[in-house]
Each structure stands twice: as structure tokens, then as C-alpha cells.
Amino acid sequence: MEIQTPPPLGEHLRSPQLRSAMLVQQEALYAAREFLRGEGFVELLPPLVGPVTDPGGRGAKALDVDYYGEPYKLMTSAILYKQASLRGFPRLFYIAPNVRVEPPETASTGRHLVEFHQIDVEVAGATRHQVQEIAARLLTRVVDHVWTAVPDVLRGLGRDELDFAELRQGKFDSCTHEEAVARLLGRGHPQNPDAEIDWAGEKVLSLEADRPFFIDDYPKGSRGFYDREDPERPGVLRNFDLIAHGGYGELVSGSERESDYAAIVTRMRESGENPAKYAWYLELAREGIEASAGFGMGLQRLVRFLTGLDALWQVSAYPKLPGVIAP
């Protein structure tokens, strides 16, 4: 995809297309909050900086900040804080801002921004299957609400209600990472079986689908230390992605979490992380972190999927593309 950079900010903010996207985003957030509160979740405000952040991110880096002389990080993901918060809030969610310094080449995917938001959900004592079911119902509820609340806006953007019919009926498919890799290799796409599905492969699978689908069981080493390894299948993680149909790719990433102190330290070391950096988190883990499962649903990706626009910058009021200096 050719890199299309946003116009000057003033022109972008006056765009009728952006206004339509923000109306869709407003309704999506309304529906998400309504659904999650109805399911017994409590919304917390996430931290913006901390001594460490999520180390994952396919080459993305965290931004450093000087916090009273200490080197802190802007949050690339607040997942560690979600786990910590389970002590007082066994069903919680954030609308969480994230900052990731993505590699400049990701500007051409249409699916990456340096600043973005996630609908971040965590459930104490839950299994992967249980949070997948929550993610599916959340997506179904949001899509149904938006098509009910602002159908003319979506049609004005060229969206066809029929493309969402199966999703609005709660129909989802699933496959394993191993099966997804086999499908891609069978189509001549050189997917590494030990890695996450790459952007191009994800798009291939997404374009073939007529409804969203889950990919389960990513291999150990392809995700962060907090994704729980399946005790009955060493080397396989109890995690998932939810891929949108129509070429829009990943909307949700989630997992059961490692909660045992020794297992967390071992996984940190295996992934090349220095446990000493995570002192506050490991202190909580030693005292006892709740077993849990959770996910993050990318808000801008969700809005792009709903609106059918080409790139995430078109659904962000203040877009920052990887490698592009912006106000």
C-alpha cells in the first residue's frame, strides 16, 4: 500500500469524512461502555506512565520520559496494571491510550498509528473461552448499535449493511495458529510457523472470510511473557486474536495470563527481559496475582472496520503515522 499522509491538521479536522468517523466512534464507545457495565465491569482510568510497560509489539518501542529523575515509560499497553487491579476490581476495563514508536515501514499498512486507544478488558478467574465469548458479544453489540444509531452515516461512507449481517447475528469462526499457517503456506504465502501471523498473511485470511474469526494457540516466543503457556501442551500459549473479515485484520488480541510468580520470572528470562526492571510487578506476583484472562480491542481499528476507510489516520482526529512528524 502506498503511504498516504494526513493533510494539515486544520484541513483534516474540517473534513466531513473525519466528522462521520468521529460520530461512529462516539456511538461505538457508548455501546462498549453500556455493554461492559451491563456485564458487571467497572471502568478504571489507566496509568499513562510507569517504570515499565508491555515489552511486546512486533518491533515497536516505548517512549522514555524523565519522571523526577527516574527513567519511566509511556504506556504501550497497560496490561500489567490490569492484572494488578484485579485485587480490587475482578471485572474491569479501560479505554486506554497507548503510545508505540512503530517502525516507519508500518505506515504503509493502513493499520498502525503511534498513538491509539484500546478497549482493554480483564476478568479474574476467567478462561480464554470465557473472554473470547465476551469479546464476541462486545463486538456484536457495538456493530449492532452503530448500525441502529447512525445507519445513514455508515451508508454515506459506502458501507453495506449486508456485510455485517452474519456478525450481527453473533456468528464467528475459529482456527488454530497452526491451521492458519497451513492455509497461508498452501496459498504460497511464506508465513513463519513460529511467529505471529504477519500483516500480509493476516490480510489474506481476512479477505477470504465473510465473518470475524478467532485464531487460537500462538506459539511460545511469539507473544509476551504474560500470555499463559498451556500446561498440557508445552510451547503453546492459551491466547488468541480476533480477525475482522473484509481485509481489516486484527481487532482484538487476548490471552489467559501467567499468574504464578516462578512462571512469570522464567518466562521473562526466556523472552530476554530483565526481571529486575519489573520489581513492582513481581512484588505483587510474589504476594499473589489473580489468575485471569483478558483482551484489548483496538478502538481505531474497530472504527476503521465499521467505516470502511482505508487507513487508521482517517479515523483519528490527531493522527501520528509511524515515521512521520506530526503536531
Side-chain angles (χ1 to χ4, degrees), residues 192-241:
N192 181 349
D194 298 319
E196 288 192 280
I197 305 299
D198 60 38
W199 313 127
E202 214 174 75
K203 187 172 183 179
V204 168
L205 297 173
S206 178
L207 283 168
E208 290 180 348
D210 57 8
R211 65 183 73 168
F213 61 96
F214 289 101
I215 301 179
D216 297 337
D217 299 339
Y218 282 76
K220 185 179 176 181
S222 67
R223 292 287 179 89
F225 61 78
Y226 38 76
D227 281 12
R228 181 173 178 248
E229 186 174 7
D230 192 323
E232 298 179 358
R233 296 182 297 164
V236 176
L237 300 175
R238 296 277 298 166
N239 62 2
F240 68 92
D241 279 348

Side-chain angles (χ1 to χ4, degrees), residues 118-119 131-132 135-136 138-139 213-215 218 223 240-244 249-254 294-298 301:
Q118 291 195 115
I119 303 170
V131 294
Q132 283 180 312
L138 170 60
L139 180 59
F213 61 96
F214 289 101
I215 301 179
Y218 282 76
R223 292 287 179 89
F240 68 92
D241 279 348
L242 176 57
I243 311 297
E250 177 202 320
L251 291 182
V252 177
S253 187
F295 62 84
M297 178 180 288
R301 289 184 179 183

Side-chain angles (χ1 to χ4, degrees), residues 50-61:
V52 290
T53 186
D54 176 2
R58 302 196 197 192
K61 298 179 180 178

Side-chain angles (χ1 to χ4, degrees), residues 29 62 84 108 122 125 131 149 152 164 187 223 235 247 262 266 274 286:
L29 283 170
S108 64
E122 200 74 16
V131 294
D152 292 344
F164 297 87
R187 288 157 179 73
R223 292 287 179 89
T266 298
N274 178 6
R286 189 182 289 111

Side-chain angles (χ1 to χ4, degrees), residues 56 155 318:
R155 293 190 186 104
Y318 314 105

Side-chain angles (χ1 to χ4, degrees), residues 290-304:
E290 294 276 356
S292 69
F295 62 84
M297 178 180 288
L299 176 60
Q300 282 79 11
R301 289 184 179 183
L302 172 61
V303 175
R304 181 189 171 218

Side-chain angles (χ1 to χ4, degrees), residues 3-327:
I3 301 176
Q4 297 179 344
T5 56
L9 185 59
E11 180 182 339
H12 177 61
L13 290 170
R14 289 193 298 270
S15 163
Q17 179 178 268
L18 177 67
R19 178 171 177 78
S20 293
M22 293 300 94
L23 291 174
V24 170
Q25 177 179 281
Q26 176 174 261
E27 296 300 336
L29 283 170
Y30 172 87
R33 284 189 162 107
E34 180 184 55
F35 171 83
L36 290 168
R37 289 181 63 181
E39 293 288 315
F41 286 85
V42 176
E43 181 175 5
L44 302 183
L45 297 178
L48 301 179
V49 300
V52 290
T53 186
D54 176 2
R58 302 196 197 192
K61 298 179 180 178
L63 277 176
D64 295 323
V65 295
D66 184 332
Y67 188 73
Y68 298 105
E70 294 293 327
Y72 269 43
K73 304 285 186 184
L74 291 181
M75 289 294 107
T76 62
S77 164
I79 184 172
L80 305 183
Y81 290 91
K82 284 200 304 179
Q83 284 186 276
S85 300
L86 292 169
R87 289 187 167 195
F89 304 91
R91 295 171 74 86
L92 71 100
F93 75 98
Y94 302 143
I95 306 298
N98 295 268
V99 179
R100 297 181 187 176
V101 184
E102 299 279 0
E105 58 268 23
T106 61
S108 64
T109 67
R111 299 176 52 232
H112 293 85
L113 292 172
V114 173
E115 293 182 350
F116 64 98
H117 295 75
Q118 291 195 115
I119 303 170
D120 238 329
V121 175
E122 200 74 16
V123 185
T127 65
R128 173 177 63 186
H129 176 75
Q130 288 170 326
V131 294
Q132 283 180 312
E133 191 261 346
I134 292 170
R137 289 195 296 117
L138 170 60
L139 180 59
T140 299
R141 171 61 180 148
V142 168
V143 171
D144 190 62
H145 172 81
V146 173
W147 269 105
T148 300
V150 287
D152 292 344
V153 173
L154 293 173
R155 293 190 186 104
L157 291 166
R159 296 306 266 161
D160 187 336
E161 195 167 359
L162 289 176
D163 291 336
F164 297 87
E166 293 202 35
L167 168 54
R168 292 175 73 183
Q169 293 172 25
K171 295 180 180 179
F172 291 77
D173 290 326
S174 66
C175 67
T176 65
H177 178 272
E178 184 178 11
E179 290 168 341
V181 170
R183 284 166 56 189
L184 289 171
L185 293 176
R187 288 157 179 73
H189 180 78
Q191 173 63 47
N192 181 349
D194 298 319
E196 288 192 280
I197 305 299
D198 60 38
W199 313 127
E202 214 174 75
K203 187 172 183 179
V204 168
L205 297 173
S206 178
L207 283 168
E208 290 180 348
D210 57 8
R211 65 183 73 168
F213 61 96
F214 289 101
I215 301 179
D216 297 337
D217 299 339
Y218 282 76
K220 185 179 176 181
S222 67
R223 292 287 179 89
F225 61 78
Y226 38 76
D227 281 12
R228 181 173 178 248
E229 186 174 7
D230 192 323
E232 298 179 358
R233 296 182 297 164
V236 176
L237 300 175
R238 296 277 298 166
N239 62 2
F240 68 92
D241 279 348
L242 176 57
I243 311 297
H245 60 293
Y248 294 93
E250 177 202 320
L251 291 182
V252 177
S253 187
S255 182
E256 292 179 16
R257 312 301 187 193
E258 291 286 7
S259 57
D260 176 75
Y261 171 79
I264 292 171
V265 172
T266 298
R267 290 288 305 284
M268 283 180 175
R269 288 174 174 153
E270 288 175 345
S271 63
E273 288 293 315
N274 178 6
K277 294 193 315 183
Y278 297 86
W280 74 267
Y281 174 74
L282 289 176
E283 182 178 346
L284 288 175
R286 189 182 289 111
E287 295 171 1
I289 286 180
E290 294 276 356
S292 69
F295 62 84
M297 178 180 288
L299 176 60
Q300 282 79 11
R301 289 184 179 183
L302 172 61
V303 175
R304 181 189 171 218
F305 170 58
L306 286 161
T307 60
L309 293 172
D310 293 330
L312 290 191
W313 69 260
Q314 295 171 303
V315 299
S316 174
Y318 314 105
K320 289 183 173 61
L321 272 176
V324 178
I325 303 301

